[in-house]
Structures are given as structure tokens and as C-alpha cells.
């Protein structure tokens, strides 16, 4: 094998319930992940330099703000895979980004998942998905879901996954913002707001109305059940997102929510046509940098045909 290309989806959190802060500095979460048809593409090729070198190039959406050294999550994942396989192997990785960077759609984790799948194939390692998911969990808590795809409930830090059957396809509109929001800062702001309000974080549990809406493929009920405990913190750090959410609601979206730690905002529509209408209205309202439509659920990282 000389080169392998993998396509990997972004995620939106349908429910993000943030529980108490743990001793290790993470929060216990219930994180209902949903993979949507907004994809990064990663090509892993045999290294042009020495057999053990790992290089990264990034093209596309906000490529300039993505590190290309050892900090790149795809590079980290490839090195972790080589270490696990006891092999010192190299690759040239080319990432074509469409998922917004630091946008709350887990683009970096998606690229890590893509690197695991691509290098597993390029190096002929033949590791099963569950091993890739274990390696991925050490890179970041959203990586196992980017490998699995579909819709799933994540517990713990988000890495303990239970797949959820959905009764249909859901149509989404995403408002991409200028610049990103740092995930650790948003969690920190969430803790700060809770402390200031004297609020104890409740133990996170999966929302029953949300699970029922997913099983039934009921977009209207799903729109009402979307919930993100990080939203007040994201809005406190980026108040302009309030106008973006309002514009989507005014355009008739069935649900409007900050995606993960933001600043991307996600809007649920009733059909592909409805999504196009909401997208047009959001573009016209001038409340975001750009607008994309997508549908979900879609599979996780797969070798492109
Ligand atoms: P999440 O939704 O998982 O909290 P996010 O979507 O907000 O994450 P990412 O796009 O995953 O954020 O990136 C967060 C940071 O990780 C970026 O600011 C960037 O510096 C770094 N990073 C490392 N590797 C990558 C990569 N391959 N793609 C994007 N960002 C990367």
C-alpha cells in the first residue's frame, strides 16, 4: 500500500450534561454524540524522506491555525499507533480540513481517528476497531466516537460509548464563527458560573425525551430536547452567539444550540429543503462567518473508496 485516504466526520453534541469536577481535572459527562456529513479528509503516504519520519501538511478551512509538528493530533495518533504495534514506522500525512478549527465539532479528534485508520492500513497492522478506540482514548476523549460514528452516548470523559439506534436522518445547519473557543477555557467558565451561582453540579444522566426522539426519528421532539450545559459559558465568553442562535430560531429552526464548547452553532431542520431555507436566512442575517448544511447520523472514519 503506497497511500490511504480516510474520510472522517465532525460531531455535534445533542446532549452535553456536565457533571461534577473529578480529581483528575476532568468532568464526568453524558455526551450524546451525533456524527454529521461535514468531513475532514486525511491521506497517509509512505514517507518521502527516511522510513521513520512523520510529517504533517494541512490544507483548507483555517489550515493556518492548525499545528503541523508533534502537537498535531493526527501525528500524535500515528506515533501512538506505531508504538502500540512495536514498529518504528513513518508516514507523510496530508489533512484537508472542512471541520472548523476549535469550533466545538471535534475536528482535531476527527483527524486523530483518521490517522489511526489510515496508518493501520498503510502499515498493514490489521488492528481491530476496538484496539484503535483504546489508542484513540489516550489521545483525546472524543477520538473513539470519531472512529465509531453514528449516534452514541459517551460516559466518563465521553470515551465510554454506547451506540444509539436512530429512527431516521436528521438535517442540520451549522453557523461557523470567526476564530475558535478554547475547550478548557469554556469548561473553566462553566465551573466559574456554577460556583458564582452556588450551584452543585448534578450527576449527569441521559435525557429520556432526547433518547425517545432519536429512536422515533422525530425531528420536532429532538429540537425541543437538545441541551448543552456548556452553552451559558460559551455565551458568556462570546455574547454575539446569542444573536446567532436567535437568528436561527427566527428562521424557523426546530432547535438551536451551541455545538459542544462552541463557537459553532447548530440548528435542526425538518428536511433538507427546510435546512436550505434556514441556511439562507442565517446567511442573510449576517450573524456568522459562513453557513453549512449537513445530515446525520453518518459512519465514523472510513477508508475512502
Ligand atoms: P472539541 O469539540 O473536541 O472540544 P474543537 O472542535 O473545539 O474540539 P479542534 O478543532 O479539535 O477543537 O482543535 C482544538 C485545538 O487543537 C486547535 O486550536 C489546534 O491548535 C489543536 N489541533 C491539533 N491538531 C489538530 C488538528 N488536526 N486539527 C485541528 N486542530 C488541531
Amino acid at each position: 500500500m503506497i497511500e490511504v485516504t480516510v474520510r472522517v466526520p465532525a460531531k455535534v453534541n445533542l446532549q452535553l450534561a456536565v457533571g461534577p469536577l473529578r480529581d483528575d481535572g476532568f468532568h464526568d459527562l453524558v455526551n450524546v454524540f451525533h456524527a454529521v456529513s461535514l468531513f475532514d479528509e486525511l491521506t497517509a503516504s509512505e514517507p518521502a524522506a527516511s522510513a521513520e519520519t512523520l510529517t504533517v501538511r494541512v490544507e483548507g478551512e483555517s489550515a493556518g491555525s492548525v499545528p503541523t509538528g508533534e502537537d498535531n493530533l493526527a501525528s500524535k495518533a500515528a506515533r501512538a499507533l506505531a508504538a502500540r504495534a512495536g514498529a518504528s514506522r513513518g508516514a507523510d500525512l496530508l489533512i484537508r480540513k472542512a471541520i472548523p478549527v476549535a469550533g466545538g465539532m471535534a475536528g482535531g479528534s476527527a483527524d486523530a481517528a483518521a490517522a489511526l485508520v489510515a496508518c493501520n492500513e498503510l502499515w498493514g497492522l490489521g488492528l481491530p476497531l476496538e484496539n484503535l478506540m483504546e489508542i484513540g482514548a489516550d489521545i483525546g476523549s472524543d477520538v473513539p466516537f470519531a472512529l465509531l460514528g453514528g449516534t452514541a452516548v459517551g460516559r466518563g470523559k465521553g470515551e465510554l460509548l454506547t451506540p444509539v439506534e436512530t429512527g431516521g436522518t436528521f438535517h442540520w445547519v451549522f453557523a461557523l464563527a470567526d476564530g475558535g473557543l478554547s475547550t478548557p477555557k469554556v469548561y473553566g467558565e462553566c465551573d466559574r458560573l456554577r460556583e458564582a451561582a452556588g450551584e452543585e453540579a448534578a450527576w449527569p444522566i441521559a435525557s429520556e425525551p432526547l433518547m425517545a426522539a432519536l429512536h422515533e426519528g422525530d425531528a420536532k421532539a429532538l429540537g425541543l430536547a437538545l441541551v448543552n450545559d456548556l452553552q451559558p459559558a460559551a455565551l458568556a465568553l462570546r455574547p454575539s452567539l446569542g444573536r446567532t442562535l436567535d437568528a436561527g430560531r427566527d428562521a424557523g429552526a426546530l432547535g438551536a444550540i451551541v455545538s459542544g464548547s462552541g463557537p459553532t452553532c447548530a440548528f435542526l431542520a425538518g428536511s433538507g429543503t427546510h435546512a436550505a431555507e434556514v441556511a439562507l436566512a442565517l446567511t442573510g442575517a449576517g450573524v456568522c462567518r459562513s453557513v453549512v448544511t449537513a445530515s446525520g447520523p453518518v459512519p465514523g472514519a472510513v477508508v475512502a473508496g
Side-chain angles (χ1 to χ4, degrees), residues 11 40 65-67 71-74 95 97 100-109 111-112 142 181 183 260-262:
K11 60 84 185 159
D40 277 0
S65 51
V66 177
D71 283 353
N72 190 289
L73 293 173
I95 302 171
K97 289 210 72 76
V101 176
M105 299 191 81
S109 302
D111 297 343
D142 291 350
L181 270 178
T183 305
S261 53

Side-chain angles (χ1 to χ4, degrees), residues 11 13 33 40 42 56 58 61-62 65-69 71-76 95 97 99-112 141-143 180-184 187 230 259-264:
K11 60 84 185 159
N13 303 90
F33 293 107
D40 277 0
L42 178 144
V56 180
V58 186
E61 164 82 24
S62 305
S65 51
V66 177
T68 53
D71 283 353
N72 190 289
L73 293 173
S75 163
K76 273 193 188 169
I95 302 171
K97 289 210 72 76
I99 305 175
V101 176
M105 299 191 81
S109 302
D111 297 343
S141 19
D142 291 350
V143 180
L181 270 178
S182 143
T183 305
Y187 274 97
L230 290 181
S259 176
S261 53
T264 305

Side-chain angles (χ1 to χ4, degrees), residues 194-241:
R194 282 176 170 175
E195 206 177 305
E199 255 176 48
E200 281 281 314
W203 185 250
I205 47 169
S207 150
E208 280 180 25
L210 185 104
M211 288 301 147
L214 284 170
H215 289 309
E216 285 154 25
D218 183 340
K220 208 168 168 192
L222 181 62
L224 293 172
L226 297 172
V227 54
N228 180 0
D229 284 358
L230 290 181
Q231 186 160 307
L235 286 171
L237 294 173
R238 188 75 73 86
S240 62
L241 296 181

Side-chain angles (χ1 to χ4, degrees), residues 8-60:
V8 63
K11 60 84 185 159
V12 59
N13 303 90
L14 306 177
Q15 178 187 7
L16 182 44
V18 180
L21 192 58
R22 313 189 321 188
D23 291 342
D24 63 3
F26 289 92
H27 294 80
D28 268 302
L29 304 176
V30 160
N31 202 337
V32 182
F33 293 107
H34 183 66
V36 294
S37 60
L38 174 59
F39 300 102
D40 277 0
E41 232 178 50
L42 178 144
T43 300
S45 344
E46 282 182 1
S50 87
E52 290 170 22
T53 355
L54 231 145
T55 67
V56 180
R57 270 190 308 139
V58 186
E59 294 175 351

